[in-house]
Amino acid sequence: MSHRAAGARPHVAVVGGGVSGLVAALTLAERGIRVSLFDRSAELGGRVSRVRLAGITLDTGAEAFATRNGTVVDFLERIGLGSEVVYPATIGSWVIAVGRAVPLPGGGTLGIPSHPLSRGAVRLLGVRGAVRAACEPLLPRRVGRNATSLGSLVRSRLGTAVLDRVVRPVTLGVYSTAPEDMPHSAMPALAAAYEERGSLLHAARAVRASTVSAGGAVAGLRGGMGVLIDQLLDRARALGVTCHTGVAVDRVLPETPAASATAAPTTAAYVLVDAAGAELASADAVVLAVPRTTAVRLWSPELASAGPGDTEAETEAETGVGDVEVVVLVLDEPRLDAAPRGTGVLVAPDADSRIVAKALTHVTAKWPERAREAGPGRHVLRLSYGRVGDEPATTGLDDAAVQELARADAERILGVPLVPSSVIAMRRARWAMSAPDAPSGLAAPSTIVPIGDWVSGTGLASVITDAERAARELAAALQLTQPEHHSPTDPDSPNELPKDEPAMPASVPPTDQPGRVFRADGPMDARPGLIRIGTRGSALALTQTTTVAHAIAAATGADVALITVTTHGDVSRAPLAQLGGTGVFVSALRDALLEGRCDVAVHSLKDLPTGPCPGIVIGAIPERADARDALCARDDWGLDTLPPGARVGTGSPRRAAQLRSRRPDLDVRDLRGNVDTRLGRVGVDLDAVVLAAAGLDRIGRSSAISERFPLDAVPTAPGQGALAVEVRTAALDEPIMASALGALDDPETRACAVAERTLLGTLEAGCAAPIGAWARIEGGALHLTAAVYRLDGSDQLVVTESAPVPSAPLTPGPTPRPLSPEAQALQAVGESLGARVAGTLLAQGAAELAPLGPPRSGA
């Protein structure tokens, strides 16, 4: 049996890239576990998927999440999406039962009416059905005690009317499962509340925790639920999770074939193989974020010893045909502006009905942002077909037949004539749905961990909570065997980060024994052999800081801990210029550095104020990444091809002035938020955003870029694309810090950055001044182009000047501390050139164009 080598970090393979798998992967990576994620699909997300159709961003999978208890919202806050939560219109939804459409009363879980005797409930249930339901709290507890399913429990406690007219259409529409096929324990919150209260009606009220219109206890994300997948993936990758898409794991086997599958030691390593028997990966533990049948096939006592590929037919039968098909229609039909059936309709099974669909969502009535994106008179309808155990009625039909079926169903459901020519676009999506089972485990060793809705219960709240819990417990169990020391202030095993992060420049010397890099859960005391780096908590900041951390670990052999610091700029939603400028992202990190809570702080250099900070010095400026600005536009538009009046977002006065200068017709709007927040607004309320290319490249979002602006035409913020590594001035003399900074610093990047920042400082320009600068070393000279813009973009002043650089070559290898004479001379050229270009700009009237003058504090 193979065991992990002493000192090696544990490795976990996650099979399945839906929400549960991504949450588990992120949680494990945050705790220092190496993670590899595998998914048979080309794109991650599982049943969370989105598409662009007729210029509108639409969810073809899950479109919302339940807001009760705040579990999901809290999680979204933690991963940086709290500001992106949006809520549906409170216009209620409808149900079609016993041949007629009626509004669905505000209810509890599964649509059970909170007030059965209300006018709406009586209209739906009838007088007898409503009275029967209202009497349920008076029934003794023994009624329903022997119920074996949710259906039998509802029937015995609340009556047939509630079961057939409310609960049945809800379970079939939402879970694709008849209530008779669902154990009531499949709804853990409802089961627990019922056990506590003894009344199903009271339990449903308690679980819902509100009496808003039906459908109001859910929320979505601006830009669609796919934004959640983007954020999870970006944060996981920033922590080193490797993702393998389009890779089908056929079996998980103990590394030693002779080992008993039923008694495998918890220290066993596993091998993941494909259908051909080829090894995909080995791991210390495996998380199975897949449906129950797939989990059993991947690992079970009976199949563990079978040859790879033996269950290929079973796999094909299980995943080849989806149980549910979603059909999305985009229509030009102004008669739907009145939202005739609210946010949507659930359809109860009726043998005499001509309606085949089980549910319809009126997307543009439910989500105001989708309506704004679609425009007046254009509507999006989403119809669902099929259920667990039955083929969808769309099976075997071509697109034209499916479109006609969906149009006819929508016409009958909404009660509005919809002519075929009104449909301008259609998209189909098939999903394999698992019946909601009672929470269940898997007969396997403790290092084979199943997660997902069949284990946790249905809904994102249950799935996310259980995935986090399982990942935390697995990480703790694996790290109990980790023969490494931990800081006394961090006893629960630090969140070690992987070493396969984006590489630093080639000048960083390799080392045979690099130290550990990990993310601390909280404050850490200083100790010998440990360097603590302060960082913001965004995905971009963590990616940048992790890159620096690995370079420091490689150069010094020290352990490097990432300490997350929240800045004022991270929590305020006010425009950046009103906050006092980019310094709002810096001051909290500098405070942590001066107070001894960290030893190093990493910033984007463009965020750093130009004035000195007593007690702190820029110890290193690593090699610069792409300094250009990037346009991220819908439909892959470039700046010149954006339609007149296009809405373009940016939080930078400089970028706004440059956009207005080149395209005065554009509608330039203020924009805040992290990278994914900004990108998520493209195609929603904006046509494009402008961001730094370097940040997009660093977090793997280069594919969002439709155009990179040339620096000679669009000079960017001084220091853009470069990082600043700040330390306490007193620490420069420490040998370990000198080694770290020497390995990081790039003299040419430093000289260019000094030229640009000296220009900015000499102009005494705050963050609100629209100034661009671009320095580069070419042909034996340092060249600096600078531009000052009028805020409205109506005028600009551009100057380019050069200065020769020292002819003596720079010392190869790490930059020594203090700087070598050659590096000092090069820096001096940058300072002189920056001051000279600033003087030229002032002499030519730059102060008449832009708000120049003494900068405000922190700007």
Coordinates of all heavy atoms in Angstrom, one line a residue, residues 772-856:
G772 N -2.6 59.3 -18.4 CA -2.1 58.0 -18.8 C -0.6 58.1 -19.1 O -0.1 59.2 -19.4
A773 N 0.1 57.0 -18.8 CA 1.6 57.0 -19.0 C 2.1 55.7 -19.5 O 1.5 54.6 -19.0 CB 2.3 57.5 -17.7
W774 N 3.1 55.7 -20.3 CA 3.7 54.4 -20.8 C 5.2 54.6 -21.0 O 5.6 55.4 -21.9 CB 3.0 54.1 -22.2 CG 3.6 52.9 -22.8 CD1 4.0 51.7 -22.3 CD2 3.9 52.7 -24.2 NE1 4.5 50.9 -23.2 CE2 4.5 51.4 -24.4 CE3 3.7 53.5 -25.4 CZ2 4.8 51.0 -25.7 CZ3 4.1 53.1 -26.6 CH2 4.6 51.8 -26.8
A775 N 5.9 53.9 -20.2 CA 7.4 53.9 -20.3 C 7.9 52.6 -20.8 O 7.3 51.5 -20.4 CB 8.0 54.2 -18.9
R776 N 8.9 52.6 -21.6 CA 9.5 51.3 -22.1 C 11.0 51.6 -22.4 O 11.3 52.7 -22.8 CB 8.8 50.8 -23.3 CG 8.8 51.7 -24.5 CD 7.8 52.7 -24.5 NE 7.7 53.5 -25.8 CZ 7.1 54.7 -25.8 NH1 6.6 55.3 -24.8 NH2 7.1 55.4 -27.0
I777 N 11.8 50.6 -22.4 CA 13.2 50.7 -22.8 C 13.4 50.0 -24.1 O 13.1 48.8 -24.3 CB 14.1 50.0 -21.7 CG1 14.0 50.7 -20.4 CG2 15.5 50.0 -22.2 CD1 14.7 50.1 -19.2
E778 N 13.8 50.8 -25.1 CA 14.0 50.3 -26.4 C 15.2 51.0 -27.1 O 15.3 52.3 -26.9 CB 12.8 50.6 -27.3 CG 11.5 49.8 -26.9 CD 10.3 50.2 -27.7 OE1 10.4 51.2 -28.5 OE2 9.3 49.5 -27.6
G779 N 16.0 50.3 -27.8 CA 17.1 50.9 -28.5 C 18.1 51.7 -27.7 O 18.5 52.8 -28.1
G780 N 18.4 51.3 -26.5 CA 19.3 51.9 -25.6 C 18.8 53.2 -25.0 O 19.6 54.0 -24.5
A781 N 17.5 53.4 -24.9 CA 16.9 54.6 -24.3 C 15.6 54.2 -23.6 O 14.9 53.2 -23.9 CB 16.6 55.6 -25.4
L782 N 15.3 55.0 -22.6 CA 14.1 54.9 -21.9 C 13.1 56.0 -22.5 O 13.4 57.2 -22.5 CB 14.3 55.2 -20.4 CG 13.0 55.3 -19.5 CD1 12.3 53.9 -19.5 CD2 13.4 55.6 -18.0
H783 N 12.0 55.5 -23.0 CA 11.0 56.4 -23.6 C 9.8 56.5 -22.7 O 9.3 55.5 -22.1 CB 10.6 55.8 -25.0 CG 11.7 55.5 -25.8 ND1 12.4 56.4 -26.7 CD2 12.4 54.3 -26.0 CE1 13.3 55.8 -27.3 NE2 13.3 54.5 -27.0
L784 N 9.2 57.7 -22.6 CA 8.0 57.9 -21.8 C 7.0 58.7 -22.6 O 7.3 59.8 -23.0 CB 8.4 58.7 -20.5 CG 7.2 59.1 -19.6 CD1 6.4 57.8 -19.1 CD2 7.7 59.9 -18.4
T785 N 5.8 58.1 -22.8 CA 4.7 58.8 -23.4 C 3.7 59.1 -22.3 O 3.3 58.2 -21.5 CB 4.0 58.0 -24.5 OG1 5.0 57.7 -25.5 CG2 2.8 58.7 -25.0
A786 N 3.2 60.4 -22.2 CA 2.2 60.7 -21.2 C 1.1 61.5 -21.9 O 1.4 62.3 -22.8 CB 2.9 61.5 -20.1
A787 N -0.1 61.3 -21.4 CA -1.2 62.0 -21.9 C -2.1 62.5 -20.8 O -2.3 61.8 -19.8 CB -2.1 61.1 -22.8
V788 N -2.6 63.8 -20.9 CA -3.5 64.4 -20.0 C -4.8 64.7 -20.7 O -4.7 65.3 -21.8 CB -2.9 65.6 -19.3 CG1 -3.9 66.3 -18.4 CG2 -1.6 65.3 -18.6
Y789 N -6.0 64.3 -20.2 CA -7.2 64.5 -20.9 C -8.1 65.4 -20.1 O -8.1 65.5 -18.8 CB -7.9 63.1 -21.0 CG -7.1 62.1 -21.7 CD1 -6.2 61.3 -21.1 CD2 -7.3 61.9 -23.1 CE1 -5.4 60.4 -21.7 CE2 -6.6 60.9 -23.8 CZ -5.6 60.2 -23.1 OH -4.9 59.2 -23.8
R790 N -9.0 66.1 -20.8 CA -10.1 66.8 -20.2 C -11.1 65.7 -19.7 O -11.3 64.7 -20.4 CB -10.7 67.8 -21.1 CG -11.6 68.8 -20.4 CD -12.2 69.8 -21.4 NE -11.2 70.6 -22.1 CZ -10.7 71.7 -21.6 NH1 -11.0 72.1 -20.4 NH2 -9.8 72.4 -22.3
L791 N -11.7 65.9 -18.6 CA -12.6 64.9 -18.0 C -13.7 64.4 -19.0 O -14.1 63.2 -19.0 CB -13.2 65.3 -16.7 CG -12.3 65.3 -15.5 CD1 -12.9 66.0 -14.3 CD2 -11.9 63.8 -15.1
D792 N -14.2 65.3 -19.8 CA -15.3 65.0 -20.7 C -14.7 64.4 -22.0 O -15.5 64.1 -23.0 CB -16.2 66.1 -21.0 CG -15.5 67.3 -21.7 OD1 -14.3 67.2 -22.0 OD2 -16.1 68.4 -21.8
G793 N -13.4 64.3 -22.1 CA -12.8 63.7 -23.3 C -12.7 64.6 -24.5 O -12.3 64.2 -25.6
S794 N -13.0 65.9 -24.3 CA -13.1 66.8 -25.5 C -11.7 67.4 -25.9 O -11.6 67.9 -27.0 CB -14.0 68.0 -25.2 OG -13.5 68.7 -24.0
D795 N -10.7 67.2 -25.1 CA -9.4 67.7 -25.4 C -8.3 66.9 -24.7 O -8.6 66.2 -23.7 CB -9.2 69.2 -25.0 CG -8.1 69.9 -25.7 OD1 -7.4 69.2 -26.6 OD2 -7.9 71.1 -25.5
Q796 N -7.1 66.9 -25.3 CA -6.0 66.1 -24.7 C -4.7 66.7 -25.0 O -4.6 67.4 -26.0 CB -6.1 64.6 -25.1 CG -5.9 64.5 -26.6 CD -6.1 63.0 -27.1 OE1 -6.9 62.3 -26.6 NE2 -5.3 62.6 -28.0
L797 N -3.7 66.3 -24.2 CA -2.3 66.8 -24.5 C -1.4 65.6 -24.3 O -1.4 64.9 -23.3 CB -2.0 67.9 -23.4 CG -0.6 68.5 -23.5 CD1 -0.4 69.2 -24.8 CD2 -0.4 69.5 -22.3
V798 N -0.6 65.3 -25.4 CA 0.3 64.1 -25.4 C 1.7 64.6 -25.6 O 2.0 65.4 -26.5 CB -0.2 63.2 -26.5 CG1 0.7 61.9 -26.4 CG2 -1.6 62.8 -26.3
V799 N 2.6 64.0 -24.8 CA 4.0 64.3 -24.9 C 4.8 63.0 -24.8 O 4.5 62.1 -24.0 CB 4.5 65.2 -23.7 CG1 6.0 65.3 -23.7 CG2 3.9 66.6 -23.9
T800 N 5.8 62.9 -25.7 CA 6.8 61.7 -25.6 C 8.2 62.3 -25.6 O 8.6 63.1 -26.5 CB 6.6 60.8 -26.8 OG1 5.2 60.3 -26.8 CG2 7.6 59.6 -26.8
E801 N 9.0 61.8 -24.6 CA 10.4 62.2 -24.6 C 11.2 61.0 -24.2 O 10.7 60.0 -23.7 CB 10.6 63.3 -23.5 CG 9.9 64.6 -23.9 CD 10.3 65.8 -23.0 OE1 11.3 65.6 -22.3 OE2 9.6 66.8 -23.1
S802 N 12.5 61.0 -24.4 CA 13.4 59.9 -24.2 C 14.7 60.3 -23.5 O 15.0 61.5 -23.5 CB 13.8 59.2 -25.5 OG 12.6 58.9 -26.3
A803 N 15.4 59.3 -22.9 CA 16.6 59.6 -22.3 C 17.5 58.3 -22.4 O 17.0 57.2 -22.3 CB 16.5 59.9 -20.8
P804 N 18.8 58.5 -22.7 CA 19.6 57.3 -22.9 C 19.8 56.6 -21.5 O 19.8 57.2 -20.5 CB 21.0 57.8 -23.4 CG 21.0 59.3 -22.9 CD 19.5 59.7 -22.9
V805 N 19.9 55.2 -21.6 CA 20.1 54.5 -20.4 C 21.6 54.1 -20.3 O 22.3 54.1 -21.3 CB 19.3 53.2 -20.4 CG1 17.8 53.5 -20.4 CG2 19.6 52.3 -21.6
P806 N 22.1 53.8 -19.1 CA 23.5 53.4 -18.9 C 23.9 52.3 -19.8 O 23.1 51.3 -20.0 CB 23.6 53.0 -17.4 CG 22.5 53.7 -16.8 CD 21.4 53.8 -17.8
S807 N 25.1 52.4 -20.4 CA 25.5 51.4 -21.3 C 26.0 50.1 -20.6 O 26.0 49.0 -21.2 CB 26.7 51.9 -22.2 OG 27.8 52.4 -21.4
A808 N 26.4 50.2 -19.4 CA 26.9 49.1 -18.6 C 25.8 48.1 -18.4 O 24.7 48.5 -18.0 CB 27.5 49.5 -17.3
P809 N 26.0 46.8 -18.7 CA 24.9 45.8 -18.5 C 24.6 45.7 -17.0 O 25.4 45.8 -16.2 CB 25.5 44.5 -19.1 CG 27.0 44.7 -18.9 CD 27.3 46.2 -19.1
L810 N 23.3 45.3 -16.8 CA 22.9 45.0 -15.5 C 23.5 43.7 -15.0 O 23.7 42.8 -15.8 CB 21.4 44.9 -15.4 CG 20.6 46.3 -15.7 CD1 19.1 46.0 -15.8 CD2 20.9 47.3 -14.6
T811 N 23.8 43.6 -13.7 CA 24.3 42.4 -13.1 C 23.3 41.3 -13.3 O 22.2 41.4 -12.9 CB 24.6 42.6 -11.6 OG1 25.4 43.7 -11.4 CG2 25.2 41.4 -11.0
P812 N 23.7 40.2 -13.9 CA 22.8 39.1 -14.1 C 22.4 38.4 -12.8 O 23.1 38.5 -11.8 CB 23.6 38.1 -15.0 CG 25.0 38.4 -14.7 CD 25.1 39.9 -14.5
G813 N 21.2 37.8 -12.8 CA 20.8 37.2 -11.6 C 20.0 38.1 -10.7 O 19.6 39.2 -11.1
P814 N 19.7 37.7 -9.5 CA 18.9 38.5 -8.6 C 19.5 39.9 -8.3 O 20.7 40.0 -8.2 CB 18.8 37.7 -7.3 CG 19.2 36.3 -7.7 CD 20.1 36.4 -8.9
T815 N 18.6 40.9 -8.2 CA 19.1 42.2 -7.9 C 19.6 42.3 -6.5 O 18.8 41.9 -5.6 CB 18.0 43.2 -8.1 OG1 17.5 43.1 -9.4 CG2 18.4 44.6 -7.9
P816 N 20.8 42.7 -6.2 CA 21.3 42.7 -4.8 C 20.6 43.8 -4.0 O 20.1 44.8 -4.6 CB 22.8 43.0 -5.0 CG 22.9 43.7 -6.3 CD 21.8 43.1 -7.2
R817 N 20.7 43.7 -2.7 CA 20.2 44.7 -1.8 C 21.4 45.2 -1.0 O 22.0 44.4 -0.4 CB 19.1 44.2 -0.9 CG 18.0 43.4 -1.6 CD 17.2 44.2 -2.6 NE 16.6 45.4 -2.0 CZ 15.9 46.2 -2.7 NH1 15.6 46.0 -4.0 NH2 15.4 47.3 -2.1
P818 N 21.7 46.5 -1.0 CA 21.0 47.6 -1.8 C 21.2 47.4 -3.3 O 22.0 46.6 -3.7 CB 21.6 48.9 -1.3 CG 23.0 48.5 -0.9 CD 22.9 47.1 -0.3
L819 N 20.5 48.2 -4.1 CA 20.6 48.1 -5.5 C 22.0 48.3 -6.0 O 22.8 49.1 -5.4 CB 19.7 49.2 -6.2 CG 18.1 49.1 -5.9 CD1 17.4 50.2 -6.6 CD2 17.6 47.8 -6.5
S820 N 22.3 47.6 -7.0 CA 23.6 47.7 -7.6 C 23.8 49.1 -8.2 O 22.8 49.8 -8.5 CB 23.8 46.7 -8.7 OG 23.0 46.9 -9.8
P821 N 25.0 49.6 -8.5 CA 25.2 50.9 -9.1 C 24.5 51.0 -10.5 O 23.9 52.1 -10.8 CB 26.7 51.0 -9.3 CG 27.3 50.1 -8.2 CD 26.3 49.0 -8.1
E822 N 24.5 49.9 -11.2 CA 23.8 50.0 -12.5 C 22.3 50.2 -12.4 O 21.7 50.9 -13.1 CB 24.1 48.7 -13.3 CG 25.5 48.4 -13.7 CD 26.3 47.7 -12.6 OE1 25.7 47.5 -11.5 OE2 27.5 47.4 -12.8
A823 N 21.7 49.4 -11.4 CA 20.3 49.5 -11.2 C 19.9 50.9 -10.6 O 18.9 51.5 -11.0 CB 19.8 48.4 -10.2
Q824 N 20.8 51.4 -9.8 CA 20.5 52.8 -9.2 C 20.6 53.8 -10.4 O 19.8 54.8 -10.4 CB 21.6 53.1 -8.2 CG 21.4 52.3 -6.9 CD 22.4 52.7 -5.8 OE1 22.7 53.8 -5.7 NE2 22.9 51.7 -5.1
A825 N 21.6 53.7 -11.3 CA 21.7 54.6 -12.4 C 20.4 54.6 -13.3 O 19.9 55.6 -13.7 CB 22.9 54.3 -13.2
L826 N 20.0 53.4 -13.5 CA 18.8 53.2 -14.4 C 17.6 53.8 -13.7 O 16.8 54.5 -14.4 CB 18.5 51.7 -14.6 CG 17.5 51.3 -15.7 CD1 17.7 52.0 -17.0 CD2 17.3 49.8 -15.8
Q827 N 17.4 53.6 -12.4 CA 16.3 54.2 -11.7 C 16.4 55.8 -11.7 O 15.4 56.4 -11.8 CB 16.3 53.7 -10.2 CG 15.2 54.3 -9.4 CD 15.0 53.6 -8.1 OE1 15.1 52.4 -8.0 NE2 14.9 54.4 -7.0
A828 N 17.6 56.3 -11.6 CA 17.8 57.7 -11.7 C 17.4 58.3 -13.0 O 16.8 59.4 -13.1 CB 19.2 58.1 -11.4
V829 N 17.6 57.6 -14.1 CA 17.2 58.0 -15.4 C 15.6 58.1 -15.4 O 15.1 59.0 -16.0 CB 17.7 57.0 -16.5 CG1 17.0 57.3 -17.8 CG2 19.2 57.1 -16.6
G830 N 15.0 57.1 -14.8 CA 13.5 57.1 -14.8 C 13.0 58.3 -14.0 O 12.0 58.9 -14.5
E831 N 13.6 58.6 -12.9 CA 13.2 59.7 -12.1 C 13.3 61.0 -12.8 O 12.4 61.9 -12.9 CB 13.9 59.8 -10.8 CG 13.6 58.6 -9.8 CD 14.6 58.6 -8.6 OE1 15.6 59.4 -8.7 OE2 14.3 57.9 -7.7
S832 N 14.5 61.2 -13.5 CA 14.7 62.4 -14.2 C 13.8 62.6 -15.4 O 13.2 63.7 -15.6 CB 16.2 62.4 -14.7 OG 16.5 63.5 -15.5
L833 N 13.6 61.5 -16.2 CA 12.7 61.6 -17.3 C 11.2 61.9 -16.9 O 10.6 62.7 -17.6 CB 12.8 60.3 -18.1 CG 11.9 60.2 -19.4 CD1 12.4 61.3 -20.4 CD2 12.1 58.8 -20.1
G834 N 10.8 61.2 -15.9 CA 9.4 61.5 -15.4 C 9.2 62.9 -15.0 O 8.2 63.5 -15.4
A835 N 10.2 63.5 -14.3 CA 10.0 64.9 -13.9 C 10.1 65.8 -15.1 O 9.3 66.8 -15.2 CB 11.2 65.3 -12.9
R836 N 10.9 65.5 -16.1 CA 11.0 66.3 -17.3 C 9.8 66.3 -18.1 O 9.3 67.4 -18.6 CB 12.2 65.9 -18.1 CG 12.5 66.6 -19.4 CD 13.9 66.6 -19.9 NE 14.5 65.3 -19.9 CZ 14.5 64.5 -21.0 NH1 13.9 65.0 -22.1 NH2 15.0 63.3 -21.0
V837 N 9.2 65.1 -18.3 CA 7.9 65.1 -19.1 C 6.8 65.8 -18.4 O 6.0 66.5 -19.0 CB 7.6 63.6 -19.4 CG1 6.2 63.5 -20.0 CG2 8.6 63.0 -20.3
A838 N 6.8 65.7 -17.1 CA 5.7 66.4 -16.3 C 5.9 67.9 -16.5 O 4.9 68.6 -16.7 CB 5.8 66.0 -14.8
G839 N 7.1 68.4 -16.5 CA 7.4 69.8 -16.7 C 6.9 70.3 -18.0 O 6.3 71.4 -18.2
T840 N 7.2 69.4 -19.1 CA 6.7 69.8 -20.4 C 5.2 69.9 -20.5 O 4.6 70.8 -21.1 CB 7.2 68.7 -21.4 OG1 8.7 68.7 -21.3 CG2 6.8 69.1 -22.8
L841 N 4.5 68.9 -19.9 CA 3.1 68.9 -19.9 C 2.5 70.2 -19.2 O 1.6 70.8 -19.7 CB 2.5 67.7 -19.2 CG 2.6 66.3 -19.9 CD1 2.3 65.2 -19.0 CD2 1.6 66.3 -21.1
L842 N 3.1 70.5 -18.1 CA 2.6 71.7 -17.3 C 2.9 73.0 -18.2 O 2.0 73.9 -18.2 CB 3.3 71.8 -16.0 CG 2.9 70.8 -14.9 CD1 3.8 70.8 -13.7 CD2 1.4 71.0 -14.5
A843 N 4.0 73.0 -18.8 CA 4.3 74.2 -19.6 C 3.4 74.3 -20.8 O 3.1 75.4 -21.3 CB 5.8 74.1 -20.1
Q844 N 2.8 73.2 -21.3 CA 1.9 73.2 -22.4 C 0.5 73.4 -22.0 O -0.4 73.3 -22.9 CB 2.2 72.0 -23.3 CG 3.5 71.9 -24.0 CD 3.7 70.7 -24.9 OE1 2.7 70.0 -25.2 NE2 4.9 70.5 -25.3
G845 N 0.2 73.5 -20.7 CA -1.2 73.8 -20.3 C -1.9 72.6 -19.8 O -3.2 72.6 -19.8
A846 N -1.2 71.6 -19.2 CA -1.9 70.4 -18.7 C -2.9 70.8 -17.6 O -4.0 70.2 -17.4 CB -0.9 69.4 -18.3
A847 N -2.5 71.8 -16.8 CA -3.3 72.1 -15.6 C -4.7 72.7 -16.0 O -5.6 72.8 -15.2 CB -2.6 73.1 -14.7
E848 N -4.8 73.2 -17.3 CA -6.0 73.7 -17.8 C -7.0 72.6 -18.2 O -8.2 72.9 -18.4 CB -5.8 74.7 -18.9 CG -4.9 75.9 -18.5 CD -4.5 76.8 -19.7 OE1 -5.1 76.5 -20.8 OE2 -3.7 77.7 -19.6
L849 N -6.4 71.4 -18.4 CA -7.3 70.3 -18.9 C -7.8 69.5 -17.8 O -8.9 69.0 -17.8 CB -6.5 69.4 -19.9 CG -6.1 70.0 -21.2 CD1 -5.3 69.0 -22.0 CD2 -7.3 70.5 -22.0
A850 N -6.9 69.2 -16.8 CA -7.2 68.2 -15.8 C -7.1 68.8 -14.4 O -6.4 69.8 -14.2 CB -6.3 67.0 -15.9
P851 N -7.7 68.2 -13.4 CA -7.7 68.7 -12.0 C -6.3 68.3 -11.4 O -6.2 67.4 -10.6 CB -8.8 68.0 -11.3 CG -9.0 66.7 -12.1 CD -8.7 67.1 -13.5
L852 N -5.3 69.1 -11.7 CA -4.0 68.9 -11.1 C -3.8 69.8 -9.9 O -4.5 70.8 -9.7 CB -2.9 69.2 -12.1 CG -3.0 68.5 -13.5 CD1 -1.8 68.9 -14.4 CD2 -3.1 67.0 -13.3
G853 N -2.9 69.4 -9.0 CA -2.7 70.1 -7.8 C -2.4 69.2 -6.7 O -2.3 68.0 -6.9
P854 N -2.2 69.7 -5.5 CA -1.8 68.8 -4.3 C -2.8 67.7 -4.2 O -4.0 68.0 -4.1 CB -1.8 69.8 -3.1 CG -1.6 71.1 -3.7 CD -2.3 71.1 -5.1
P855 N -2.4 66.5 -4.2 CA -3.3 65.3 -4.0 C -3.9 65.3 -2.7 O -3.4 65.7 -1.7 CB -2.4 64.1 -4.3 CG -1.1 64.6 -3.9 CD -1.0 66.0 -4.2
R856 N -5.2 64.8 -2.6 CA -5.8 64.5 -1.3 C -5.1 63.4 -0.6 O -4.5 62.5 -1.2 CB -7.3 64.2 -1.6 CG -8.1 65.4 -2.1 CD -9.4 64.9 -2.6 NE -9.3 64.1 -3.8 CZ -10.3 63.4 -4.3 NH1 -11.5 63.4 -3.8 NH2 -10.1 62.7 -5.4

